Amino acid sequence: MTKPLTRDDYVPNDVTVHRDPDRLRRVVRALRAAGRNIALVPTMGALHEGHRKLIREAHVMQNTVVVVSIFVNPTQFGPSEDFSRYPRTFESDVDTCRAERVGLVFAPSVEDMYRPGSTVTVSAGPLGEELEGASRPGHFAGVLTVVSKLFNIVQPTYAVFGEKDYQQLTLIHRMARDLDFPVDVVGVPTVREADGLALSSRNRYLSEDERAAATALSAALVAGAHVSGRGAEAVLKAASETLAAEPRVELDYLELRAPDLGPAPENGDARLLVAARVGTTRLIDNAAVLLGTGDE
Ligand code: PAF
């Protein structure tokens, strides 16, 4: 028999941690019935200032209870990737959520998210094979499958994601549109350190030396954006020269695309995306550029 909900399942002005998907589903259903909007911030934990910004953005929506999911999703990691060593900082993550006035933390176990025998997944389509997908086969199927499960369990009105993972954000927008999820997907600009390095949970893998080298990624984006008035070729040249000047950066890709990640236009809005390995750590970054509209 399912246990009835109690006052402990949702405590106004404090954070409540739920591990059981069915119970969380019932709590958010009750909150929605009471007229509250749910804003979901999906994370894999190891929360940093970038996540805090996502949570603050979630609070901007009217009459909202913010739900942060913390789940290191095994299906989005390849066999040689960092699933087992991915940083897990649950206690301090809950403290961060409390400080940011999060209402509910959803932290399921792998077994509760992926029940034995589950075989159906979400396909990311052709864009899922490009850019990040070319280096990380199956990654976006794993991301979209877990995000669709989170949408179904948490039933959010809004779901907030960082632009730092720009291809992920694009594919989640597309999934919500193509599969008719009744959710507003909200993208939030990347938070950076003072020297330009994009905040990422993986930055903590970097040694001091590697951390210094990693700033070449954001420097390359700035260099590219600086000459964007001269067109695509100039942008790619300036960005790749900046990367080449840092021997500790092993480039995976540097690409200019349209904002929806189709082919880059000759003029107008575009996105410059970079991925590289620094030591054993794979980093990504991206920036908006406006092509060919000035005399730079
Ligand atoms: O961006 C992330 O942290 C993850 O890919 C997400 C969206 C939480 C899915 O596991």
Side-chain angles (χ1 to χ4, degrees):
M1 207 184 71
T2 44
K3 280 199 292 179
L5 297 182
T6 70
R7 283 174 186 282
D8 291 342
D9 281 298
Y10 172 70
V11 181
N13 305 320
D14 198 3
V15 64
T16 307
V17 176
H18 282 272
R19 296 198 177 270
D20 175 7
D22 291 328
R23 197 151 187 95
L24 190 274
R25 194 196 315 267
R26 289 169 60 219
V27 175
V28 290
R29 206 174 275 163
L31 288 165
R32 285 173 69 105
R36 305 297 299 274
N37 286 318
I38 305 297
L40 171 65
V41 182
T43 81
M44 298 206 297
L47 302 184
H48 50 65
E49 200 52 40
H51 296 108
R52 282 181 184 261
K53 185 163 173 205
L54 302 184
I55 295 169
R56 286 175 198 157
E57 203 57 45
H59 277 300
V60 169
M61 326 295 173
Q62 289 288 302
N63 192 25
T64 287
V65 175
V66 176
V67 180
V68 171
S69 62
I70 299 178
F71 180 63
V72 186
N73 172 36
T75 68
Q76 68 188 75
F77 289 80
S80 61
E81 293 183 16
D82 56 346
F83 173 68
S84 54
R85 74 170 185 132
Y86 195 84
R88 287 161 173 86
T89 57
F90 186 70
E91 296 307 325
S92 76
D93 291 347
V94 173
D95 289 343
T96 300
C97 288
R98 183 173 291 111
E100 294 294 336
R101 298 178 296 110
V102 168
L104 297 163
V105 165
F106 176 44
S109 66
V110 172
E111 294 69 29
D112 276 336
M113 278 303 264
Y114 296 105
R115 302 228 167 83
S118 58
T119 52
V120 176
T121 58
V122 177
S123 158
L127 178 57
E129 314 288 311
E130 300 170 23
L131 299 165
E132 281 303 282
S135 300
R136 306 183 66 188
H139 170 67
F140 288 115
V143 170
L144 295 187
T145 299
V146 81
V147 170
S148 65
K149 287 167 76 69
L150 290 169
F151 284 178
N152 284 329
I153 295 165
V154 180
Q155 303 157 55
T157 309
Y158 308 101
V160 186
F161 297 86
E163 283 185 358
K164 152 84 175 28
D165 296 297
Y166 189 80
Q167 188 178 7
Q168 166 176 288
L169 174 63
T170 305
L171 282 166
I172 291 169
H173 265 298
R174 220 172 263 191
M175 176 180 79
R177 182 197 66 188
D178 293 353
L179 301 185
D180 302 300
F181 280 99
V183 54
D184 269 358
V185 175
V186 179
V188 175
T190 304
V191 179
R192 298 181 181 280
E193 304 275 11
D195 60 7
L197 182 69
L199 293 196
S200 162
S201 303
R202 289 192 167 97
N203 289 353
R204 65 186 75 197
Y205 299 151
L206 299 169
S207 67
E208 207 176 311
D209 198 42
E210 291 166 347
R211 162 77 186 64
T215 58
L217 273 74
S218 55
L221 300 177
V222 171
H226 189 64
V227 296
S228 64
R230 286 196 233 141
E233 211 175 301
V235 169
L236 289 169
K237 184 167 181 288
S240 57
E241 281 173 3
T242 306
L243 289 163
E246 177 44 80
R248 292 165 294 183
V249 168
E250 195 188 316
L251 183 63
D252 180 354
Y253 61 79
L254 172 71
E255 287 204 30
L256 199 51
R257 295 276 182 119
D260 67 356
L261 298 183
E266 297 235 325
N267 288 298
D269 288 327
R271 204 89 196 175
L272 183 58
L273 303 108
V274 62
R277 208 166 269 285
V278 182
T280 56
T281 308
R282 194 164 181 288
L283 298 173
I284 57 174
D285 201 351
N286 69 87
V289 289
L290 187 57
L291 290 175
T293 52
D295 54 7
E296 237 300 342

